[in-house]
Amino acid sequence: MSVDGVPAQWDRSGLPGWSYTSPEMLELEKEHVFRRSWQIVGHVNDIPESGNYMCLDFFGERAVVVRGHDGLVRAFHNVCRHRGSRVVAEAQGQCKAALVCPFHGWAFNLDGTLKAAPRPRHLPTLDPVQHGLKPIEMEIWCGFVFIRFKSGPQPSIAELMEPFMPEISHYRMDKLVPTEGFWTGSTPVNWKAVVDVDNEGYHVPIAHPGLQDLYGDHYMDEAPVNGVTRSHGRFNDGPARLWSVQRYKTHLPEFEHLPPEQRNIWVYYGIFPSTVVYLYPETVGFYQQFPISENQTVLRGAAYMQPDADRRSKLARYLSTRIDRDTTKEDVQLTIWSCEATKSSGYDGIILSDLEYGVRAYHDMLRNLMPVLNEDEAPPPGTLAQMNEQLIGQSPSP
Ligand code: FES
Ligand SMILES: [Fe+2]
C-alpha cells in the first residue's frame, strides 16, 4: 500500500478536536462547504419517465429533481411558492401532469412554472414563471444528477472529473439502471469523522477483513487532484479466504465493455466534500454524507448496473454488496470510536502516517475554505464566524 504524490515534509496533525463537536463550526461548514459544493441526487435513470421525481434534503435545503414531458430533467427547491410546504412529500415517486402541493393544492408544471392555484379570485395575480418553483443549479455528469444550492469555487463536475475520464468512460455510466433504489442511514458522529475514515486505506488490513481478502495487497490511495481523490484495489492473486470474496471472484463475469485491467479492480473517486463514486466491474454507485447536527450524520447512496446485466452479474452484485455491508459496519464503528476521542481528557491530537496523507490533504482543503480550523483552541462562544471572516481577510490572495 502507498499514497502517490506525498510531499517529503508535511504536517501530520489533524484538524483541532473542538471542530468535531462545535455547533458553530457546523454552521460555517454548511455555508462554506455544503451549500456551495456539488451533491449527487441520483441518476437520470432513477427518473426515466415524465413525472418521475427524486428528492434530496439536507439541513433545511430541499431539492426535487423531476423529468418533464419534454424528457428533460430539472432541479427545483421543493418549496411551495404559496406558504412553503413541500410540493412532493416522498423521497421518490411519480406525479401525473403536475406537482400538486399537498397543503392548498397549488399546481406546478413539470418545468416548474405555476400551472394553477385553487380559488384564484382570492389571490393576487400570479405569474407562472415568477411564482413558479425556484430552480437549483444542476449538472448531469455521466448520467448522475448533481446540484448545488449556492454557486461556489468548485468547477463543474465535468471539469473536475476530466482527468479521470479515460478510465471512467469505459463504465457506460449514462446507461446505468438502478438496483435497490436509494438507501439512507445515520451515525452518531460528526460528518468529518466519517470522511476521515474514508480518506485512508491504512486501516484496511486490520479493520476490513473482507476488503483485505479481496484487494488488500494492492490497495492504493492517490493524492487529490482538484479535490478529487482516486483510490483503487486490484484483486489479490490466488484464492480468497472468505466465502463471499471467494465466490465473488469466482462468479464475476469477464465484462467485455471493460478493458482487461478494469475487470478485476474496485475504484473509488472521492469528490469534495463528502461524495464517493465507486466503480466495480459489475456495479457503479455512490455514497455521500450530510451533517444533521455536530454529532449526527446522514449516510445515503445508491447502486446501479448495466441495463443488460445477466444472472451472473447480479450474483456478483449480491456478493459485492455482502462485502460492502460488512465494511460499512466496520467503518461506522471506527468513526464512533475516533470521534468519541475528541471529548476525552486523554486526547492529544492525532499523528498521521504517509498512508493517511489523504486525510491531511482533505483537512487542508477545509482549512483553505475556513481558516479558523487552524486555531488549536476553540474560539470563544459566539465569535467563530467573525473570527473566520477576519482570517479570510488576512489570507494572501490565491
Ligand atoms: S403551501 Fe402549497 S399550496 Fe399552500
Ligand atoms: Fe474503512
Side-chain angles (χ1 to χ4, degrees), residues 146-166:
F146 287 77
I147 58 167
R148 66 176 166 184
F149 289 96
K150 283 191 175 172
S151 62
Q154 223 176 9
S156 71
I157 294 292
E159 281 174 80
L160 283 176
M161 301 305 286
E162 202 272 333
F164 307 106
M165 286 314 289

Side-chain angles (χ1 to χ4, degrees), residues 38-73:
W38 294 106
Q39 309 291 343
I40 292 187
V41 182
H43 192 281
V44 291
N45 290 338
D46 283 307
I47 49 170
E49 310 287 341
S50 70
N52 288 168
Y53 66 83
M54 56 185 172
C55 296
L56 179 66
D57 290 9
F58 59 93
F59 45 80
E61 298 289 6
R62 307 192 303 234
V64 54
V65 174
V66 61
R67 190 180 287 274
H69 293 301
D70 53 5
L72 295 181
V73 168

Side-chain angles (χ1 to χ4, degrees), residues 29-267:
E29 289 162 348
K30 287 178 182 177
E31 192 54 25
H32 287 262
V33 178
F34 283 93
R35 286 198 177 89
R36 294 172 195 273
S37 58
W38 294 106
Q39 309 291 343
I40 292 187
V41 182
H43 192 281
V44 291
N45 290 338
D46 283 307
I47 49 170
E49 310 287 341
S50 70
N52 288 168
Y53 66 83
M54 56 185 172
C55 296
L56 179 66
D57 290 9
F58 59 93
F59 45 80
E61 298 289 6
R62 307 192 303 234
V64 54
V65 174
V66 61
R67 190 180 287 274
H69 293 301
D70 53 5
L72 295 181
V73 168
R74 298 176 177 87
F76 303 104
H77 289 274
N78 185 8
V79 178
C80 180
R81 296 305 303 277
H82 176 218
R83 281 176 55 190
S85 167
R86 287 170 190 272
V87 287
V88 291
E90 306 297 328
Q92 191 176 9
Q94 160 76 35
C95 57
K96 294 199 174 104
L99 301 157
V100 181
C101 178
F103 198 165
H104 309 89
W106 284 31
F108 299 89
N109 292 307
L110 302 184
D111 64 4
T113 52
L114 179 65
K115 183 175 185 181
R119 307 175 74 176
R121 258 189 331 115
H122 299 274
L123 288 162
T125 307
L126 295 169
D127 178 79
V129 175
Q130 196 193 339
H131 300 105
L133 295 175
K134 285 193 179 165
I136 299 175
E137 189 181 6
M138 184 191 79
E139 179 181 348
I140 298 175
W141 170 78
C142 292
F144 284 102
V145 180
F146 287 77
I147 58 167
R148 66 176 166 184
F149 289 96
K150 283 191 175 172
S151 62
Q154 223 176 9
S156 71
I157 294 292
E159 281 174 80
L160 283 176
M161 301 305 286
E162 202 272 333
F164 307 106
M165 286 314 289
E167 174 174 79
I168 290 172
S169 58
H170 294 295
Y171 290 81
R172 306 191 300 203
M173 283 169 45
D174 53 339
K175 301 278 184 296
L176 294 167
V177 292
T179 54
E180 302 89 10
F182 299 104
W183 57 265
T184 57
S186 78
T187 179
V189 296
N190 184 270
W191 70 275
K192 297 189 291 299
V194 182
V195 184
D196 287 350
V197 167
D198 217 37
N199 266 330
E200 52 94 357
Y202 183 33
H203 69 286
V204 167
I206 301 296
H208 296 315
L211 297 187
Q212 179 63 14
D213 200 24
L214 180 65
Y215 57 50
D217 297 346
H218 304 134
Y219 180 82
M220 188 177 283
D221 293 310
E222 294 174 8
V225 177
N226 291 335
V228 179
T229 55
R230 177 175 178 268
S231 303
H232 47 97
R234 186 170 304 288
F235 301 166
N236 294 338
D237 304 321
R241 255 182 342 102
L242 301 178
W243 180 88
S244 50
V245 177
Q246 185 258 318
R247 303 262 299 171
Y248 176 67
K249 284 172 72 175
T250 305
H251 291 288
L252 188 64
E254 285 279 314
F255 290 106
E256 287 188 2
H257 64 277
L258 296 175
E261 68 276 13
Q262 298 302 124
R263 293 177 191 171
N264 62 349
I265 189 170
W266 284 11
V267 184

